[in-house]
Amino acid sequence: QVRLVESGGGEVQAGGSLRLACVVSGRSLSSYRMGWFRQAPGKERELVAAISQSGSSTYYVDSVKGRFTISRSNAENAVYLQMNSLKSEDTAVYYCAAATVGTSWNSPAYWGQGTQVTVSS
């Protein structure tokens, strides 16, 4: 059974930083592309950042470019999201997701339970 467990969320003031971690168990992380989604109250879930299996390719939604960095450690079976210069509009529940190669991010194979990030102004 594959499990994704996020950690690192919390409350921070605007301009601050947080580092989210997602540890995968039950299967090697190297089999999957990994992504971070977020969902704010009343809004649809959106893909914030994604990283290829090797880590050589990344994607960021425009609103976080230059502020967020996604990384992965296949040895540690973990993926990370470093979030700097946080803004109030970054407040959301952040979810880790795993997608198999060749599939769309519309339907990841696995989801984590989510971690709350609250940015106060």
Side-chain angles (χ1 to χ4, degrees):
Q1 181 178 356
V2 178
R3 287 190 66 204
L4 281 64
V5 179
E6 301 100 333
S7 62
E11 183 168 355
V12 64
Q13 288 192 333
S17 298
L18 284 174
R19 186 181 191 232
L20 305 184
C22 172
V23 177
V24 178
S25 62
R27 191 164 291 181
S28 173
L29 186 72
S30 61
S31 302
Y32 301 98
R33 297 179 294 136
M34 299 299 297
W36 286 96
F37 288 75
R38 68 184 177 188
Q39 187 166 22
K43 295 189 176 181
E44 292 187 356
R45 190 175 296 189
E46 68 170 346
L47 178 64
V48 174
I51 189 165
S52 62
Q53 287 176 286
S54 67
S56 60
S57 177
T58 57
Y59 160 85
Y60 299 95
V61 69
D62 285 347
S63 59
V64 308
K65 284 181 181 176
R67 301 188 298 120
F68 290 12
T69 303
I70 188 171
S71 61
R72 66 188 294 158
S73 169
N74 289 343
E76 296 176 350
N77 243 33
V79 62
Y80 306 97
L81 186 67
Q82 178 67 44
M83 306 185 295
N84 298 329
S85 302
L86 282 161
K87 305 175 181 180
S88 57
E89 51 263 43
D90 295 317
T91 295
V93 178
Y94 284 72
Y95 298 90
C96 175
T100 53
V101 175
T103 62
S104 165
W105 278 113
N106 288 333
S107 55
Y110 302 102
W111 289 97
Q113 83 287 353
T115 185
Q116 176 71 46
V117 171
T118 302
V119 183
S120 57
S121 56

